[in-house]
Amino acid sequence: MAVKVKSRDILQHIAAYPLGKSLEEIQLELGIPTLRNMSEIENVFGCSPKVKEQLMQKLDHLFNYPDGSARCLSEKLGSFLGVGQSQLFIGNGSDEIIRLLLRAFLNSGEEAIMAEITFPRYKTNVTIEGGKPVIVPLKNGVHDLDAMLAHITEQTKMIFVCNPNNPTGTIVEKESLQGFIEKVPDHILIILDEAYYEYATSNEYLQSIPLLTEHSNLVILRTFSKVYGLAGLRIGYGIMDSFITSELTKVKEVFNVNQLAQAAAVIAIEDQEFRKQCIFHNEEGRSYLEKELATLGYSFFPTQANFMMVHTGRDGNEVAQELLMQGIMVKSAVGLGYKESIRVTISSMEDNRNFIEALKNLDMSR
């Protein structure tokens, strides 16, 4: 029987986020004995062993509701970052905070400026809330801040800057970004998405938290999904003016972050040695891949994240499929906006080496 209830009109123009097959399904389908997954932007080194110990202790309390204010985590995080607890908002991943910012601040018909090739959920959620996404092309894989400023109108309510940018891995140099923040009118929210903040080791990366004192319209988003390895628990946070956190609290679910995620995040902050190891391994893998790719003649965007956008000179779908048949799973960048590129996650040195060997076996004459 056909469903006769009509969904919202706006949903007729939105496609569901594409979810791929499981690794097990792909292996069975293609008959691949070993599959190295370098397609998802995850921390392949996992999470702190101390987190696992803490979670085991929490299993006897699953009948309790979580702390809707995440007080323990906010206290720990505020002390670690040097900000007040009232400046912190804990979310079910930073994705949720993006949705809540739009729900709380974007009126129907108002505009949100963003890059053409960036985290796609900005555009999707702006559209769902009845706003108008204003799309600005990247410049050599980097946010074009001057062009974004030029697109500000009376209807502009917020601007998204993903730094480092997903999927290119590039950053905006600190002088340019700070100048941009100073030029944006203070009635427009600047949402600075720093999901890959910990991986950025360049001296040109802007330390944004000190700017909060002078810019009450600045919102900084970070996550425990990446370097802390807690993607499966869905927990992120925002740092912002206390007025903004109070408005987000009005529109959030009461118990939006589960107790296991909160407990895991507290321990993850305490184990900074594990975090440093993950950053070290990522730097090691990044240096190796940059050197080997250059030797093979491949170009790529300079990355400050835990992934790389590699330009192959061939259809990205074809290259990704050929690598898959060799047991290496990468992300084709065709759907990301780069038709002759692939995105590869910086992984263990063993996986990085196998990826390079698989690239050597490709028929690049096609």
Side-chain angles (χ1 to χ4, degrees):
M1 180 182 296
V3 176
K4 297 182 179 180
V5 181
K6 187 179 179 182
S7 60
R8 291 174 57 196
D9 291 341
I10 197 65
L11 295 186
Q12 312 310 311
H13 308 287
I14 295 175
Y17 189 85
L19 298 173
K21 298 177 181 178
S22 69
L23 297 184
E24 293 77 11
E25 288 176 310
I26 294 173
Q27 284 184 263
L28 286 173
E29 185 177 300
L30 299 179
I32 301 173
T34 302
L35 185 58
R36 301 175 188 272
N37 187 5
M38 302 176 74
S39 67
E40 299 295 338
I41 311 178
E42 300 166 335
N43 182 353
V44 299
F45 304 105
C47 67
S48 164
K50 296 179 181 179
V51 166
K52 300 174 186 178
E53 296 173 9
Q54 176 68 7
L55 292 182
M56 291 301 295
Q57 297 176 27
K58 288 290 182 179
L59 295 181
D60 290 335
H61 300 277
L62 296 183
F63 62 91
N64 294 130
Y65 281 109
D67 178 0
S69 299
R71 292 176 183 86
C72 183
L73 175 56
S74 294
E75 180 179 352
K76 178 71 68 174
L77 193 55
S79 176
F80 178 68
L81 297 173
V83 301
Q85 293 182 50
S86 65
Q87 294 177 274
L88 292 168
F89 186 90
I90 311 300
N92 191 290
S94 54
D95 293 27
E96 184 199 27
I97 306 177
I98 293 168
R99 292 195 302 273
L100 295 178
L101 284 164
L102 292 164
R103 182 184 296 178
F105 289 97
L106 189 72
N107 293 303
S108 180
E110 290 183 328
E111 298 173 351
I113 299 173
M114 64 198 70
E116 180 180 18
I117 300 175
T118 190
F119 185 49
R121 301 306 289 176
Y122 306 149
K123 180 180 179 181
T124 300
N125 285 299
V126 167
T127 304
I128 290 173
E129 292 298 329
K132 178 183 177 183
V134 177
I135 309 301
V136 179
L138 295 175
K139 191 174 183 179
N140 298 320
V142 181
H143 283 71
D144 188 341
L145 298 183
D146 290 335
M148 297 179 93
L149 285 171
H151 279 77
I152 293 176
T153 71
E154 292 183 357
Q155 293 301 310
T156 303
K157 194 59 170 288
M158 57 185 64
I159 304 175
F160 290 92
V161 178
C162 189
N163 194 48
N165 185 43
N166 176 9
T168 60
T170 55
I171 62 170
V172 183
E173 294 186 352
K174 59 184 177 183
E175 185 176 338
S176 297
L177 183 53
Q178 183 164 346
F180 170 81
I181 292 171
E182 292 171 352
K183 292 174 185 176
V184 173
D186 59 12
H187 66 277
I188 297 173
L189 283 179
I190 304 167
I191 302 172
L192 190 56
D193 189 344
E194 296 185 341
Y196 304 93
Y197 161 79
E198 287 86 0
Y199 292 113
T201 56
S202 169
N203 291 330
E204 280 300 324
Y205 190 77
L206 177 68
Q207 296 303 316
S208 54
I209 289 179
L211 301 182
L212 290 167
T213 304
E214 299 295 329
H215 301 280
S216 61
N217 60 329
L218 178 62
V219 175
I220 302 166
L221 301 182
R222 293 183 184 172
T223 184
F224 288 94
S225 293
K226 305 305 177 183
V227 77
Y228 289 107
L230 301 181
L233 288 176
R234 310 306 303 128
I235 184 163
Y237 61 97
I239 318 160
M240 63 200 78
D241 187 87
S242 58
F243 168 75
I244 301 176
T245 65
S246 66
E247 295 302 285
L248 296 186
T249 301
K250 294 177 182 179
V251 297
K252 82 176 186 74
E253 298 298 328
V254 177
F255 304 114
N256 62 321
V257 181
N258 71 76
Q259 59 167 281
L260 295 183
Q262 292 185 40
V266 168
I267 300 301
I269 295 171
E270 293 178 354
D271 192 357
Q272 286 300 303
E273 185 56 38
F274 179 82
R275 172 180 177 262
K276 291 175 183 177
Q277 289 176 14
C278 291
I279 295 170
F280 171 80
H281 290 313
N282 190 71
E283 278 286 280
E284 181 182 41
R286 183 160 63 198
S287 297
Y288 168 79
L289 289 175
E290 288 175 345
K291 179 182 178 181
E292 293 298 321
L293 288 167
T295 299
L296 292 175
Y298 289 99
S299 62
F300 46 86
F301 286 129
T303 182
Q304 283 292 299
N306 63 332
F307 58 87
M308 296 181 69
M309 180 75 77
V310 182
H311 311 307
T312 63
R314 279 185 51 200
D315 181 272
N317 289 338
E318 292 182 2
V319 172
Q321 184 63 30
E322 289 181 26
L323 290 172
L324 182 62
M325 297 307 297
Q326 297 186 63
I328 305 292
M329 188 174 179
V330 300
K331 179 83 171 179
S332 167
V334 171
L336 304 177
Y338 291 96
K339 295 182 179 180
E340 295 188 341
S341 302
I342 56 174
R343 189 192 69 197
V344 57
T345 300
I346 300 170
S347 302
S348 67
M349 287 306 295
E350 180 183 1
D351 283 357
N352 294 334
R353 292 189 181 98
N354 277 278
F355 166 67
I356 292 298
E357 289 304 311
L359 277 181
K360 293 178 181 178
N361 294 329
L362 293 182
D363 180 7
M364 299 312 295
S365 65
R366 292 177 57 185

